[in-house]
């Protein structure tokens, strides 16, 4: 579901294209070290898709989220939250069973299927076949939902995978296998943090034809992420001009209608409020 | 989607389909190209197709899967939406070594569609679940 994530990342920056394609985009793998903001971005994409009224969103994860990721801002519209159906398969067989029986359940097909923590379902050193079977079943489930959604609509697939060190050959093989099923990837890498903020670089490989896009996501002290296109933020520290992107989630959630949306964000963090 | 075949293969398959529609057999030059791209599994796949061992399994929900009766008598399950086969050759030479594009079962599925010899089987949603999960205890149906 490169599209939902792309819209999340690009909507927050003025430069982002505004086309809202109904097309879901290829299955996307969100990769990053522990604590690199994967769950936050995954949750933002879930809210993004839930907000479009195109159907529910299925969010699969091993354990309930301890707290709603701080980054989702105060404007958590309950209406969007209700559309996100959380499920907590505790083990790989249960996850496989959930995916394998997806066609048996009644109810509307989701517009987005998300899985957080794929690494927890891959076990210590999964063979290529186990990793491929799980990835293929995820893709097959999303494809079935797309079929049920009918022509012109598709169910996106967005999966987060924690990466340790690329050195270990087992992990490299596992990633190569997964990339067969997830043509699009978004890498979250730590970046040089500005004063008092944690910062990372999101690099989206669209898989489909199209160039790689990069954003710089910085989390302020309050955990609020701010996203700017990487290119634009090269001289970001100096510019601080009004054009700098608004807070990622709070802004996109509060939507164009709300008063805070119009006010360009000034460089200083003095005025907060999302 | 992860089911993308390289362009040259898709082109070859569509040319073969056109040729089969006219003369109900695959021209030799296509067979040569097939062997060139897929090596030994080309002939093995054609053999599976001739023995009508490819079955498209569908359930009322609209979800589908394929089953291919291997030459060893074992039944392998392949997904309809992306390249996955439960056979050891897929795990080894396609995934691990990536020295072949498809295993002979996946290739047999494409060829059976070209030849129009794909069997059809309707099952209940419940049965399709067992097939998708590739339960080990599932006997060769």
């Amino acid at each position: 579901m490169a599209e939902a994530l792309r819209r999340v990342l690009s909507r927050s920056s003025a430069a982002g294209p505004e086309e809202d394609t109904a097309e879901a985009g290829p299955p996307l793998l969100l990769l990053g070290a522990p604590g690199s903001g994967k769950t936050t971005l995954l949750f933002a994409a879930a809210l993004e898709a839930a907000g479009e009224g195109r159907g529910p969103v299925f969010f699969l994860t091993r354990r309930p989220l301890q707290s709603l990721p701080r980054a989702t801002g105060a404007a958590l519209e309950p209406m969007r939250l209700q559309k996100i159906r959380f499920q907590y398969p505790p083990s790989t067989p249960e996850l496989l069973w959930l995916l394998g029986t997806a066609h048996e359940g009644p109810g509307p097909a989701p517009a987005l299927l998300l899985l957080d923590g794929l690494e927890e379902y891959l076990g210590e050193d999964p063979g290529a076949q186990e990793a491929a079977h799980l990835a293929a079943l995820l893709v097959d489930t999303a494809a079935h939902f797309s079929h049920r959604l009918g022509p012109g609509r598709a169910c996106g697939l967005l999966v987060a995978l924690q990466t340790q060190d690329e050195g270990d050959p087992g992990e490299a093989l596992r990633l190569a296998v997964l990339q067969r099923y997830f043509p699009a990837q978004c890498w979250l890498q730590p970046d040089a943090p500005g004063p008092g903020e944690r910062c990372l670089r999101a690099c989206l490989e669209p898989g489909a034809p199209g160039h790689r896009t990069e954003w710089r996501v910085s989390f302020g002290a309050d955990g609020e992420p701010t996203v700017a296109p990487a290119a634009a933020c090269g001289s970001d520290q100096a510019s601080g001009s009004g054009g700098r992107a608004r807070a990622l989630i709070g802004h996109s959630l509060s939507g164009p209608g709300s008063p805070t949306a119009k006010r360009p964000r000034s460089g200083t963090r003095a005025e907060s409020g999302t | 989607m992860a089911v993308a075949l390289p362009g040259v293969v898709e082109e070859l398959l569509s040319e073969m389909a056109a040729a089969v529609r006219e003369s109900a057999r695959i021209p030799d030059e296509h067979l040569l190209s097939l062997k060139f791209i897929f090596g030994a599994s080309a002939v093995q796949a054609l053999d599976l197709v001739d023995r009508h061992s490819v079955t498209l399994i569908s359930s009322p929900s609209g979800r589908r899967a394929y089953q291919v009766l291997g030459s060893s008598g074992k039944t392998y399950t392949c997904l309809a939406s992306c390249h996955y086969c439960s056979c050891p050759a897929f795990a080894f030479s396609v995934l691990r070594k990536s020295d072949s594009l498809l295993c002979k079962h996946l290739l047999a599925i494409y060829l059976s569609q070209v030849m129009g010899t794909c069997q059809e089987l309707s099952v209940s949603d419940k049965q399709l679940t067992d097939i998708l999960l590739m339960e080990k205890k599932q006997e060769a149906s």
Side-chain angles (χ1 to χ4, degrees), chain A residues 122-165:
Chain A
L122 289 177
E124 273 331 302
D125 63 344
Q129 186 131 50
E130 287 77 16
H133 184 211
L134 179 49
L137 213 49
L138 279 162
V139 169
D140 193 71
T141 303
H144 171 64
F145 286 143
S146 298
H147 165 73
R148 254 176 50 199
L149 282 170
R153 296 180 57 207
C155 169
L157 178 60
L158 183 50
V159 170
L161 173 73
Q162 181 178 299
T163 50
Q164 254 81 18
D165 56 80

Side-chain angles (χ1 to χ4, degrees), chain A residues 60-62 87-102 115 120-121 133-134 137-138 141, chain B residues 129 133 135:
Chain A
L60 308 180
T61 178
R62 211 141 155 225
Q87 284 164 311
Y88 309 109
S91 70
T92 305
E94 260 112 339
L95 173 59
L96 288 171
W97 183 82
L98 208 67
L99 298 173
T101 56
L115 173 72
E120 298 197 36
Y121 294 102
H133 184 211
L134 179 49
L137 213 49
L138 279 162
T141 303
Chain B
T129 297
L133 294 179
E135 300 290 298

